[in-house]
Structures are given as C-alpha cells and as structure tokens.
Amino acid sequence: MLDHIKNIVKEAEKQGYAVGAFNVHGLESILGVAQAAVEAKSPAIIQVSEGAIDYMGLKPVTHLVSTVAKNVATQVPIALHLDHGKKLDYVLGCINAGFSSVHIDASHLPLDENIALTKQVVEIAHNKDVWVQGEVGAIMGGHGDNGGKIEDIPIAELDEVIKFVKETGVDTIAAAVGTAHGVYDNEDILIDLLKSIKTATKIPFVLHGGSGVKVNKIEESIKNGVNIINICSDIKISFTDAVKKYCKDNPKDTDPRHLLGPGIEAVKNKAIEHMKILGSADKVKLANIKT
Ligand code: G3H
Ligand code: ZN
C-alpha cells in the first residue's frame, strides 16, 4: 500500500530498525523493490532522482509507484520520495504530484544559502503535509561506480549540522559521515559523529551511500540513530548484471520480457538482502493490516 513516509519512519524508530530507500530507474526496479517488500514482509521507501524523473516523466513515475504499491505491495507500506532534489522546480513538482517526502539537496551551497533554500522548501512542503530531508556536507561519488577506492570523502561539521536542523525545521537529516555514493573499499561510518548528530538533533538520520558499506558498520549505525538507508548502486548493478548476463547467454532472444525479467528478480533479491541487514524484514505484521 502507498503510505506516508512519516508512518514508516516512526514505526522504524519505535522498533529500532532502519528502512531501505531504494532508487528505481524504471518499471522493472519498481516491481523488484515492491516484490521484495512483500516477500520480506518489510516496509520500503521507493525513491527517484531528478534523472529518473527525466527518464520516466514525473506523472508516469508517480502513477507507476502508486499503482504498484497499491496492487503489488497490497499489505506492506511503501512511501514515495524524491532523492537529491537540486532544482527547485523538481522539488515543487514532486510536492504537488503527491510524494510524501522530498530531499532538497543544497549541500553544495554555502551553509547560509543551504539553510535559506531548505527553509523555503520546508514552509511549502509542510503546508501540504510533505516531509523534507535536508543535507549538510555534500556526499560525493557516482551512483553505480563499482570497486576501488575513493579519495577525500568529505565529513560534515557537527555544529553546522546542528545549526542547519535548528534553523530549517527539516524532518530528516542527511550528512556526510564517511560513506560515498557507489561501491568503494574505503567507505566507513564515523559512529561518534553520527551519535553526536542524533543526540543534538533528535530527528531521523538518513544514511546516504548505503551500497558498499560493511555490514557491521551498517548495523552499528542503526543502533546509533540511522532510520533510513539509501541504496542505489547495488540496485543498478544487480539489475544491469542480470540483464547483461541474459543477453550474453541468449543473443538471439528478442523478447524484452525475457531480457528484463532477470533484472526484476535480481533487484528483488538484492533489496531483500538489504532489508534483512537493516532489520526491516519481518516487521510488517500482515494480520494487523486493514485492506
Ligand atoms: O541517494 C542515494 C544514495 O545515497 C545511494 O548511494 O549508490 O552508494 O547506494 P549508493
Ligand atoms: Zn545520496
């Protein structure tokens, strides 16, 4: 079912687990994540980037996610979220389209400008009961990058994060704490920084760059205040690897369903793997759900 992100995150906070926010790139990955949520009895956040909106169109992707949530994930909650909204027209478009949460990513701007823009979005979004995620200390890397080391992972300043949350009134906060977008060998999570951010801000923390981070670090971060973990590269890579393999093994097959079907299955399996690590698997009690 389609649910507001606040219900999903509040339940995660109460029960002490994190919810996966999975980036989708088309119908196949939307289906894969929804099927994973059903099979794992887990809540999920389906998120789209501005690039995914360019590819699918805002209305089509909004309707695709809503209809898959309502008709495939009939008994598990799914929320729709904008990831890394950098342009105001995309952010406002998603608020008006019915997303229950948007990320305004102005982390590339000086702190005061980041605060001013984020505050503006918060005012508009809260009037429509939409949650806002803000970001401090730009998270770097490339979604889909796979392997090797990344240089100079930036780390957010604690006092800047605290000032940002206080002045903007955001509902969730993303900050650079040692991870990067992509799969790299040297990703880490600075647990002490995370703990300090959580203690001072008390709002749900969103960990970006969830692919490629060691499982024990993810588990430790959840114990210290992470409520949402963004997963993009693992979804992209599992989908693409499966489709490429099928094409290589079956060069004469021209049926798109045969080519793309393994991609749905691969996304589903990868999302289930993450749901188990995050502790969100088996948290939806089907008997309690009114349909
Ligand atoms: O915003 C999306 C994420 O932060 C994804 O990061 O590509 O390392 O999974 P990832
Ligand atoms: Zn991110």
Side-chain angles (χ1 to χ4, degrees), residues 83-84 139 143 181 208-209 230:
D83 185 35
H84 291 287
I139 292 139
H143 294 129
H181 292 142
H208 280 248
N230 283 11

Side-chain angles (χ1 to χ4, degrees), residues 20 22 32 36-37 39-40 42 210-213 215 218-219 231 234-235 238 265-281:
F22 300 97
E39 204 168 307
S42 168
S211 307
V213 186
V215 172
I218 293 280
E219 289 168 342
I231 317 281
D234 275 354
I235 295 295
S238 53
E265 186 70 12
V267 167
K268 182 186 87 176
N269 292 335
K270 185 51 76 177
I272 291 176
E273 207 179 282
H274 280 288
M275 287 163 176
K276 287 182 179 163
I277 295 168
L278 270 47
S280 68

Side-chain angles (χ1 to χ4, degrees), residues 11-30:
E11 195 56 33
E13 273 184 308
K14 205 160 79 186
Q15 295 197 49
Y17 59 85
V19 182
F22 300 97
N23 286 77
V24 294
H25 308 94
L27 174 63
E28 287 73 22
S29 43
I30 294 170

Side-chain angles (χ1 to χ4, degrees), residues 124-135:
I124 298 166
H126 284 183
N127 267 330
K128 297 208 163 203
D129 192 27
V130 173
W131 264 23
V132 178
Q133 179 186 142
E135 179 171 331

Side-chain angles (χ1 to χ4, degrees), residues 118 143 193 196 201:
T118 304
H143 294 129
L193 175 58
S196 307
T201 66

